[in-house]
Amino acid sequence: MNPLFRAVVVMLAASGALLAVHSPARAQIYPTKSVRLIVPFPPGGSLDFAGRLLAQKLTEAWDQPVVVENKPGAGGNIGADLVAKSPPDGYTILLGALSTHAVNPSLYAKMPYDAVKDFVPITLIAVTPNVLVVHASSPVHNVKEFIAWTKANPGKLSFGSGSNGSAGHLAGELYKVETGTDAVHIPYKGGAPATQALIAGDTQFMFDNLANAMAQVKGGKLRALAVTTANRSSLAPELPTLAEAGLPGFDISTWYGLFAPAGTPRSIVAKWNADVTRILHAPNIRARFIEDGAEPSPNSPDQFAQFIAAELTKYARIVKVSGAKVD
């Protein structure tokens, strides 16, 4: 073989080998562009806080912008549906919640997406108890007085929540069933405006999540009576549970986590899970969540899927018992 020709062949072979080694690696780099993190509720609430904190830390870790987009409406269904119908390429991710993936499938007569089939669970982010709060000027100071007050005013009191299908909504409906009382539910577009409505006197009580409520309680604008979880919260150990106060079995909490559209590659889901878990385990980030009333609780995609299945069953029963429905 001509020496010059042989040299060319060797050079081309080497180039091909290099391409074979580097092209797949280059193709697997993620992310290579901006990522959308959809928060299906308005700015100002716990989901928005968590989404923006995670977006900031992921942007720093990936050297690509992770941008929060608030897409509120229909109890979170509008934002969740947007993600369900997005390309499964890892560039549109949902910060979903109890309402979007456990309550709404039973609460709404018609859903625009399938909470299980249309998504891949990535990880649970945090869990926060709900707390029964009244205005600081309210005549009631404990759960016993609160029950007597609601029984004495059938149909005259109202309670707000962050949306139809939120933990606050279902807690109120379950309370009505358990106590035989009647109160009007008023859904707002997020926990923050619902809390402001209670402070303004537009509503009389609320089963707010701890993250939204405790700042107002500490500020003297609201009074906390009890938490809605089965056990007392380490974030507010002085508060009794509703179960302790005479409503045995009462157990409702708020949670939120990350979801990708169905069909998203496992490698991308794994990257999100690993990097978000690392962020949530950082002491300074954990402290910021706890200050906001939430307990960071990352888990594996499989564990998160099992958790969601149990929550779907639990809230289907609560919705059925309460008779709550949204057209």
Side-chain angles (χ1 to χ4, degrees):
M1 180 182 294
N2 183 291
L4 180 59
F5 180 72
R6 181 183 310 219
V8 171
V9 170
V10 170
M11 183 179 68
L12 290 173
S15 299
L18 285 172
L19 286 172
V21 169
H22 290 290
S23 293
R26 189 174 294 123
Q28 291 173 9
I29 293 173
Y30 169 89
T32 59
K33 61 180 182 180
S34 176
V35 178
R36 304 165 71 199
L37 180 57
I38 305 300
V39 175
F41 295 98
S46 299
L47 241 67
D48 188 61
F49 162 80
R52 293 182 187 279
L53 182 55
L54 289 174
Q56 175 192 340
K57 293 303 177 182
L58 289 171
T59 296
E60 294 171 2
W62 293 346
D63 199 27
Q64 291 288 351
V66 178
V67 181
V68 171
E69 294 185 18
N70 297 90
K71 300 291 184 181
N77 283 353
I78 290 176
D81 186 48
L82 184 155
V83 176
K85 293 176 172 57
S86 294
D89 55 9
Y91 289 98
T92 305
I93 300 296
L94 174 70
L95 183 54
L98 170 75
S99 58
T100 60
H101 281 76
V103 176
N104 290 0
S106 296
L107 190 67
Y108 284 76
K110 186 176 181 179
M111 287 286 287
Y113 59 86
D114 187 303
V116 175
K117 294 179 181 178
D118 290 342
F119 296 90
V120 177
I122 296 174
T123 183
L124 182 65
I125 297 297
V127 177
T128 181
N130 282 64
V131 57
L132 171 58
V133 288
V134 294
H135 196 278
S137 63
S138 172
V140 301
H141 294 79
N142 55 54
V143 175
K144 183 177 179 180
E145 292 179 357
F146 179 77
I147 294 174
W149 182 53
T150 53
K151 284 186 175 181
N153 292 278
K156 297 179 182 179
L157 304 177
S158 62
F159 69 99
S161 77
S163 69
N164 281 312
S166 64
H169 175 199
L170 270 295
E173 297 295 342
L174 185 59
Y175 170 80
K176 288 161 58 178
V177 170
E178 295 291 325
T179 58
T181 54
D182 183 26
V184 179
H185 172 239
I186 302 177
Y188 290 84
K189 292 183 177 181
T195 303
Q196 289 304 314
L198 177 58
I199 293 171
D202 296 333
T203 57
Q204 286 70 54
F205 66 95
M206 184 177 176
F207 290 88
D208 199 3
N209 68 63
L210 200 65
N212 285 334
M214 293 313 289
Q216 303 299 338
V217 171
K218 292 174 182 177
K221 295 181 179 179
L222 299 180
R223 179 182 301 138
L225 304 182
V227 294
T228 63
T229 43
N231 300 308
R232 292 197 181 201
S233 170
S234 61
L235 305 176
E238 73 281 5
L239 292 178
T241 67
L242 281 169
E244 288 177 58
L247 298 176
F250 204 107
D251 181 15
I252 288 181
S253 61
T254 297
W255 57 262
Y256 43 92
L258 293 169
F259 299 83
T264 300
R266 290 186 180 183
S267 59
I268 292 177
V269 172
K271 181 172 180 61
W272 270 88
N273 182 277
D275 290 350
V276 168
T277 297
R278 175 182 52 78
I279 290 168
L280 293 176
H281 280 315
N284 62 323
I285 300 300
R286 181 175 179 82
R288 291 184 67 178
F289 271 87
I290 289 175
E291 286 174 6
D292 197 52
E295 185 78 25
S297 308
N299 55 9
S300 71
D302 286 344
Q303 289 170 331
F304 192 24
Q306 292 169 10
F307 173 81
I308 293 165
E311 290 287 279
L312 278 164
T313 300
K314 173 182 176 180
Y315 284 96
R317 180 187 64 80
I318 292 175
V319 168
K320 182 178 180 179
V321 169
S322 70
K325 286 292 178 186
V326 175
D327 295 327

